Amino acid sequence: MRKFSIYGLALIGLLSLFSCMEDSPQIPLGEFEKGILIMNEGAFGANDGEVYHYDPATGTIQQNVFESKNGRPFAGLLQDMVASEGRLYLVANTGKVEVVGLKDFTSRGAVTSGLDISRSLVIANQKMYISDWGPYDANFNNPNSYIAIVNHLDGGTVSKKIPVSTRPEGMFVAGNQLLIGCSDAKKLEVVSLATDELVKTIALEGMPTRFFESEGKLYLFARDSEKVYFHEINRNNIEIINTVSVSLARATSNFALTDSGELLVITSTGWPSYNDAVAKVKVATGEVISAELFTGSGFYGIGYHVDRKEIYIADNNAFQGNGTVIVLDQSGIQKKTIPAGRGPSGFLMR
């Protein structure tokens, strides 16, 4: 009898638990927490960067999301989109950062002064760290590059600038260290987040631009005219422990990671022919699986949708009007095209 009573109480407890779980209200996703955000850089001089939202399930697209939700144009050249802390940070290389809510895209604040040629952003210790080339000198070099710090997640003023090597691009937070790829200087630099001071500089092969993670390993992507380099980084002591060298000529810094340990890299002959291609490379070995998975011209950005197994290519249409997004299957076969804004250059898959 006692045995039955114990089992009965356990069963009642389980039923109560499931009942509570079923009664708990499900918080619906916000309007922009699913689907694909298309980053449109905009045209130089016009500063008409914008964001489009595409729902692959329905095929619907919303144009000019920032302006429609805030009643004013973005008014900048959009360089990067970073989702963090329930916010979306829109980084303009014209020297500002707009902060919007990730759910509804309404403005939460901005950084509108103290920046020059801002490139990317990370959040650490409840602060913004913004990579910035700094101003051009008379020879169009950037000898005064820096990382700008803003002490509030919703924007405000620049509280400090940390001098770094020429042309910082992507960043990555590893523990209490901020890793920075300085492209023109060909260096990996490290800032201590405890002191906000530069503490280490490592020379690299190639021009580093962005960090990525594959199969549990951290890499810094770099390139030159003939090769691509995947520099593997030890997260504990921030040292390069291995470099995968890939024979891939004319690679750009536009790449996307698949869910099978491969990198999709855009290559381009540049002006005047602009013969562009998407190459597929195995990260662990550097094997070029396909140098021309898909070819065309005007390829300006690339993304990969893990759930749908689709490749998204941003085609800038030579900046003659609006661009297009080309959607491919995994094998590189074109499935459809999607209208985009001026100079589409990147994606945020939700």
Side-chain angles (χ1 to χ4, degrees), residues 5 20 24 60 88 96 99 107-108 114 119 133 174 195 244 298 316-317 319 326 328 330 334 349:
S5 176
C20 290
S24 298
T60 58
L88 184 67
K96 73 167 182 175
V99 188
S107 177
R108 298 178 61 109
R119 303 294 292 177
W133 284 5
T195 62
V244 178
N316 64 22
N317 191 31
F319 286 91
I326 304 167
L328 314 176
Q330 288 187 98
Q334 182 172 327
M349 307 295 183

Side-chain angles (χ1 to χ4, degrees), residues 270-310:
W271 187 87
S273 59
Y274 286 104
N275 294 316
D276 301 339
V278 175
K280 180 185 286 189
V281 179
K282 190 69 176 176
V283 173
T285 64
E287 175 193 0
V288 179
I289 299 169
S290 174
E292 295 185 341
L293 184 71
F294 188 79
T295 60
S297 64
F299 295 174
Y300 206 49
I302 190 166
Y304 181 78
H305 198 294
V306 172
D307 294 334
R308 299 181 66 86
K309 313 296 183 188
E310 291 176 334

Side-chain angles (χ1 to χ4, degrees), residues 138-195:
N139 297 312
F140 292 97
N141 296 316
N142 304 89
N144 297 311
S145 297
Y146 56 87
I147 304 299
I149 302 176
V150 177
N151 291 328
H152 302 283
L153 297 185
D154 288 331
T157 59
V158 174
S159 64
K160 181 176 182 176
K161 293 181 178 180
I162 307 169
V164 295
S165 293
T166 308
R167 296 189 177 179
E169 295 282 356
M171 296 174 287
F172 188 90
V173 176
N176 206 30
Q177 310 282 347
L178 176 64
L179 282 56
I180 308 147
C182 297
S183 61
D184 236 30
K186 299 181 180 180
K187 292 177 180 178
L188 164 62
E189 297 203 319
V190 183
V191 165
S192 166
L193 293 173
T195 62

